[in-house]
Amino acid sequence: MLRRPKLLIAPGAVVLVLGFAVPALIMIFSPPGSGPAEVLDRLWQMLGDPYDLAIIGRTLVYGLTVTVLCIVLGFPIAFLLARSTSRFAGVWLALAIFPLLLSNVVRTFGWLVILGSNGAVGQLIVALGLSDRGPQLLYTPLAVILGMLQLFLPLAIITIYSAIAQVDRNLDDAARGLGATRTRTLWTVVAPLSLPGIVVAATLVFAGAATAYTTPYLLGGTGQRVLSTQLFTYSSVTVDWQAASATALIMTVLVFLVSGLSTVLGSRKGRVE
């Protein structure tokens, strides 16, 4: 019998530190030909530049919007899947999370076909006589948000599903036996008790949406730049390592801020009113 179970995490911790943390810190604070002072100086310049501030704000807005939509849409679906007594419940769950098995690039290219001027949406608008030609929905905020919503909604569903599945079904029956409607039971019993899972889902979705590259690049183009596409430009096009490190630092801070907030919320036990 292992006397010190905590030693089991040592190999994984070493891999994370040496393979992720150390290279990330070096790249952020000591990029090629620069040092921490140059990176911080470039960071303050970016925080005072309206163009860079607009990119930071756009990234934050996209991330928060996608997170809210994923939670609002994912929670009811996860609840129905977790409480389903159908023999096909496993099939419905598999279908809900099936998109996670597909490449992000493949799913994003699907939106190119749908939202293009000659795509399915444009052809439908023309067929209904609403316009002589299909509108260009690509390279707009709507296209980026729709693409990332499809990308991260299955992740939110499976995360919230795991939390709701741990809530005793008998509590639902007890609440309804005391006169609560199904809707009130959902929001006053199930939702508070599954709050930690909801917070984890929100954290994962925001972290993914705030750092996503493929979807904003393909659906947003140059007119909807976010921090991830700007980071690619600095590191591979203009080869401005100071700006690239400063951008990476901003992305890291945003993600850690949301993670810290989720830790605070998740540490609070859900209460049933």
Side-chain angles (χ1 to χ4, degrees):
M1 182 177 179
L2 187 62
R3 296 183 178 180
R4 297 183 178 180
K6 293 183 179 180
L7 292 178
L8 293 174
I9 68 173
V14 171
V15 171
L16 287 176
V17 171
L18 298 181
F20 172 74
V22 173
L25 290 174
I26 293 175
M27 180 54 63
I28 291 176
F29 294 105
S30 296
S34 302
E38 289 83 356
V39 173
L40 293 177
D41 182 64
R42 188 68 176 87
L43 173 63
W44 296 124
Q45 293 179 15
M46 293 176 64
L47 294 178
D49 187 344
Y51 176 76
D52 289 315
L53 287 176
I55 293 177
I56 296 172
R58 187 180 298 118
T59 303
L60 187 60
V61 169
Y62 285 171
L64 293 176
T65 301
V66 172
T67 300
V68 171
L69 290 175
C70 283
I71 298 302
V72 171
L73 297 177
F75 181 79
I77 297 174
F79 175 78
L80 293 175
L81 291 173
R83 291 295 187 259
S84 175
T85 57
S86 170
R87 61 179 179 176
F88 298 106
V91 176
W92 308 138
L93 178 61
L95 291 176
I97 64 177
F98 176 75
L100 293 174
L101 304 178
L102 298 177
S103 167
N104 295 346
V105 178
V106 173
R107 285 188 278 171
T108 301
F109 265 106
W111 285 107
L112 292 176
V113 176
I114 295 174
L115 299 178
S117 57
N118 295 321
V121 175
Q123 292 179 4
L124 177 61
I125 291 176
V126 173
L128 294 175
L130 300 178
S131 176
D132 295 333
R133 54 180 302 180
Q136 178 58 269
L137 299 176
L138 289 177
Y139 316 124
T140 64
L142 176 63
V144 177
I145 291 174
L146 285 177
M148 290 200 291
L149 176 61
Q150 185 219 23
L151 200 64
F152 296 109
L153 182 57
L155 178 61
I157 291 174
I158 189 61
T159 305
I160 299 175
Y161 168 85
S162 300
I164 296 178
Q166 297 178 19
V167 178
D168 192 347
R169 294 175 182 238
N170 292 326
L171 295 177
D172 299 12
D173 297 332
R176 289 197 293 271
L178 293 174
T181 63
R182 290 182 178 272
T183 302
R184 185 167 184 179
T185 300
L186 175 64
W187 293 112
T188 61
V189 177
V190 179
L193 293 178
S194 57
L195 179 61
I198 296 174
V199 172
V200 171
T203 302
L204 293 176
V205 171
F206 179 82
T211 58
Y213 169 75
T214 303
T215 301
Y217 177 77
L218 293 177
L219 299 182
T222 59
Q224 301 297 324
R225 286 186 178 273
V226 292
L227 287 173
S228 57
T229 56
Q230 194 72 348
L231 175 60
F232 174 80
T233 300
Y234 286 141
S235 61
S236 300
V237 180
T238 62
V239 195
D240 186 348
W241 290 112
Q242 296 176 10
S245 295
T247 303
L249 182 59
I250 293 173
M251 295 173 65
T252 303
V253 170
L254 286 178
V255 172
F256 271 97
L257 283 176
V258 175
S259 299
L261 179 60
S262 69
T263 301
V264 174
L265 295 177
S267 63
R268 300 172 58 185
K269 298 292 185 180
R271 297 187 305 167
V272 178
E273 301 293 340

